């Protein structure tokens, strides 16, 4: 089974993808260079990164504590 080639992005879609990628890079730099990370060491860094990675999974009850 084969599918026809995709027509690809329109110019508008390609511009939006590029805008979002630039925004993601800027946010990534902001997070990774924040002074908070230099205050941690060893296992604390791993634990903090894992907590940040999963923060969107927290429930409203968890956020209240």
């Amino acid at each position: 089974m084969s599918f026809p080639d995709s027509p690809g992005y329109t110019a508008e879609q390609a511009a939006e993808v590029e805008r979002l990628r630039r925004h993601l890079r800027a946010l990534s730099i902001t997070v990774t260079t924040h002074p908070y990370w230099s205050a941690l060491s060893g296992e604390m860094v791993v634990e903090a990164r894992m907590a940040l990675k999963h923060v969107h999974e927290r429930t409203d009850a968890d956020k209240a504590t």
Side-chain angles (χ1 to χ4, degrees):
M1 175 178 216
S2 122
F3 296 97
D5 288 342
S6 168
Y9 290 133
T10 65
E12 183 178 293
Q13 289 170 327
E16 180 65 4
V17 167
E18 182 56 31
R19 184 190 71 77
L20 290 170
R21 286 182 178 157
R22 281 194 311 270
H23 186 62
L24 178 60
R25 280 191 296 271
L27 291 174
S28 296
I29 291 167
T30 299
V31 170
T32 58
T33 61
H34 192 278
Y36 170 77
W37 299 108
S38 63
L40 303 175
S41 63
E43 189 64 27
M44 291 172 51
V45 175
V46 175
E47 291 171 5
R49 288 179 65 194
M50 292 303 291
L52 180 61
K53 182 178 177 180
H54 295 285
V55 74
H56 67 281
E57 299 168 355
R58 294 175 59 190
T59 65
D60 289 335
D62 291 337
K63 292 176 187 173
T65 58

